[in-house]
C-alpha cells in the first residue's frame, strides 16, 4: 500500500473585501481540481472566513495526518515569518498526531515577474511592440507595506528584477500602507526622475481593499497632473503561473528545501530603529471565527520560528 502524499494547506492573510476573499477560496478550489488525489484546503489568519484552524480541521476529518503549508503571500513579513508558524504550532496541539512542513512565500519568482510584465503590457494596450516603446515607460511597483524593513526590501528586490533586462526606463517602488514612500510620493519621484509615461503596478495577488486604494490614489494624483500619462495595471490574479508556483513551493516544503531569508530578519538581527523587535515572543493570530478565540487579538509580538 502506497503512502498518500502530504496534503496541501494554503495560508492566506485575509481581507475585508468579499471579492478578494472569494478569489482566494476560488484559487484553493482550483488547486484541488488541478491536483486530483491531493487533499487541498485553505484558510486565513485574520479578517476572512474560513480561519486557518478550520482548514486544518477539514483536512484532519478527511484522514490527513501530514501536510505541507504554503503561505499565499508575496513577501516574508511578520505574517509569514511568525503568525502562520505560531498558528500551525497551535493546530498541532489541537490535533495530536498531525505533522507538517512549512513552505516559503511566493515572490519574487521569475514566473510572477512574467505575469507582472503581462499586466504592464495590458495596461498599455499592447503598445510595447519595440524596445523603444519600453524605454519611454516608468513603472511604479506598489507593495502592501510593512513595519518589517526586510519585507519592504523584498518589494524593492522585485522591482529591480522586473527592471533587469526588460528595457523599461525605470521601476520605482512605493507602498500603500505602513511604509514610505506612499503612492503619491512615489509618483512625484517618478516625475522628478524625468518620467512622462507611468504605469502603476500593484504588487498584490488578488483584488482587495488595498489594491483598490492604490488605484484610487493613482487616479487622484493623475487628475492633478494632466501633463503626465498615468495608467493603472491589474493585480497578478489566479494565473497558471501562480498555480504552478504554489505547487513548486509545496514540493520544496516536502523536500525540506525552504531557504527562508534570515540574514536581515528584524526578529533576529538588530536593525537600526527596530532593535526592540529582536527575540519577540511567539504569538499566533486569533481569528475571530476560530473556536479558540476568546476575544483576544495579538498583533504586536509576532511569532517567529527559526527551525528552518
Amino acid at each position: 500500500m502506497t503512502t498518500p502524499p502530504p496534503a496541501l494547506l494554503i495560508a492566506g492573510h485575509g481581507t475585508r473585501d468579499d471579492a478578494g476573499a472569494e478569489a482566494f477560496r476560488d484559487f484553493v478550489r482550483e488547486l484541488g481540481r488541478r491536483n486530483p488525489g491531493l487533499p487541498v484546503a485553505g484558510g486565513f489568519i485574520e479578517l476572512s472566513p474560513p480561519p486557518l484552524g478550520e482548514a486544518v480541521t477539514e483536512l484532519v476529518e478527511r484522514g490527513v495526518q501530514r501536510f505541507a503549508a504554503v503561505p499565499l503571500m508575496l513577501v516574508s513579513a511578520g505574517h509569514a515569518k511568525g503568525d502562520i508558524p505560531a498558528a500551525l504550532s497551535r493546530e498541532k496541539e489541537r490535533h495530536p498526531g498531525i505533522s507538517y512542513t512549512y513552505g516559503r512565500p511566493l515572490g519574487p519568482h521569475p514566473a510572477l515577474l512574467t505575469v507582472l510584465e503581462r499586466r504592464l503590457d495590458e495596461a498599455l494596450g499592447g503598445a510595447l511592440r519595440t524596445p523603444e516603446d519600453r524605454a519611454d515607460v516608468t513603472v511604479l511597483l506598489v507593495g502592501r507595506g510593512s513595519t518589517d524593513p526586510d519585507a519592504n526590501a523584498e518589494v524593492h528586490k522585485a522591482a529591480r528584477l522586473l527592471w533587469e533586462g526588460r528595457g523599461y526606463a525605470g521601476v520605482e517602488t512605493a507602498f500603500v500602507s505602513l511604509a514610505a514612500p506612499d503612492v503619491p510620493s512615489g509618483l512625484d519621484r517618478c516625475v522628478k526622475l524625468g518620467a512622462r509615461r507611468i504605469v502603476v503596478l500593484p504588487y498584490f495577488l488578488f483584488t482587495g481593499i488595498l489594491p483598490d486604494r492604490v488605484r484610487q490614489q493613482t487616479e487622484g494624483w493623475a487628475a492633478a497632473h494632466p501633463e503626465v500619462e498615468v495608467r493603472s495595471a491589474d493585480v497578478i490574479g489566479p494565473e497558471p503561473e501562480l498555480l504552478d508556483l504554489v505547487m513548486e513551493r509545496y514540493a520544496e516544503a516536502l523536500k525540506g528545501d525552504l531557504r527562508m531569508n534570515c540574514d536581515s530578519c528584524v526578529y533576529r538581527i538588530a536593525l537600526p530603529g527596530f532593535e526592540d523587535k529582536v527575540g519577540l515572543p511567539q504569538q499566533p493570530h486569533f481569528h475571530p471565527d476560530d473556536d479558540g478565540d476568546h476575544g483576544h487579538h495579538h498583533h504586536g509580538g509576532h511569532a517567529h520560528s527559526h527551525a528552518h
Side-chain angles (χ1 to χ4, degrees):
M1 180 178 169
T2 58
T3 305
L8 171 58
L9 175 69
I10 303 296
H13 176 277
T15 173
R16 291 184 177 88
D17 181 77
D18 291 339
E22 186 58 27
F24 171 91
R25 292 187 288 262
D26 279 344
F27 186 80
V28 172
R29 287 190 285 266
E30 179 61 21
L31 278 168
R33 283 191 291 268
R34 284 169 58 112
N35 298 278
L38 176 65
V40 179
F44 297 101
I45 55 173
E46 61 179 352
L47 301 176
S48 320
L52 193 62
E54 191 175 299
V56 173
T57 299
E58 176 193 330
L59 290 172
V60 170
E61 288 175 350
R62 292 164 66 179
V64 168
Q65 289 188 300
R66 299 183 304 137
F67 62 88
V70 174
L72 201 68
M73 298 172 185
L74 287 167
V75 302
S76 196
H79 297 301
K81 289 178 177 178
D83 298 327
I84 297 171
L88 293 173
S89 295
R90 183 177 60 198
E91 294 310 311
K92 201 165 187 292
E93 293 174 7
R94 289 181 179 175
H95 304 282
I98 67 169
S99 63
Y100 63 87
T101 55
Y102 183 44
R104 60 185 174 130
L106 303 174
H109 189 282
L112 295 180
L113 298 174
T114 298
V115 179
L116 290 173
E117 187 175 10
R118 189 183 308 149
R119 295 291 177 255
L120 288 171
D121 288 352
E122 291 166 355
L124 289 158
L128 300 180
R129 285 182 290 274
T130 69
E132 290 74 21
D133 292 329
R134 288 191 171 205
D136 192 37
V137 174
T138 298
V139 179
L140 183 64
L141 184 71
V142 182
R144 174 183 293 273
S146 173
T147 55
D148 182 342
D150 185 36
N152 296 331
E154 287 193 34
V155 180
H156 278 264
K157 182 177 181 179
R160 176 72 194 194
L161 290 170
L162 183 63
W163 178 80
E164 289 278 357
R166 288 182 173 83
Y168 302 113
V171 180
E172 294 298 310
T173 310
F175 301 95
V176 73
S177 65
L178 299 175
D182 60 14
V183 174
S185 298
L187 287 163
D188 289 342
R189 176 178 168 82
C190 290
V191 171
K192 286 176 181 175
L193 290 170
R196 288 293 174 265
R197 193 181 199 197
I198 305 170
V199 180
V200 177
L201 177 62
Y203 194 46
F204 288 82
L205 292 174
F206 302 126
T207 56
I209 288 174
L210 293 181
D212 286 348
R213 189 180 300 164
V214 173
R215 187 174 287 265
Q216 290 161 5
Q217 291 178 356
T218 299
E219 290 171 354
W221 187 94
H225 299 80
E227 74 282 3
V228 183
E229 180 186 345
V230 184
R231 301 196 184 192
S232 291
D234 286 333
V235 295
I236 290 170
E239 294 292 283
E241 290 93 341
L242 182 60
L243 289 153
D244 291 341
L245 177 54
V246 168
M247 296 312 297
E248 185 176 321
R249 291 289 186 256
Y250 167 75
E252 283 178 2
L254 296 190
K255 292 186 296 185
D257 181 22
L258 300 185
R259 292 176 284 176
M260 181 180 281
N261 173 27
C262 292
D263 294 338
S264 53
C265 171
V266 76
Y267 302 109
R268 168 176 279 200
I269 306 298
L271 297 178
F274 298 89
E275 293 85 354
D276 59 322
K277 287 182 178 270
V278 175
L280 279 180
Q282 297 206 116
Q283 292 289 348
H285 267 292
F286 286 87
H287 194 291
D289 297 332
D290 196 307
D291 291 339
D293 181 29
H294 300 293
H296 305 295
H297 187 74
H298 301 287
H299 200 74
H302 284 301
H304 193 185
S305 169
H306 272 287
H308 47 255

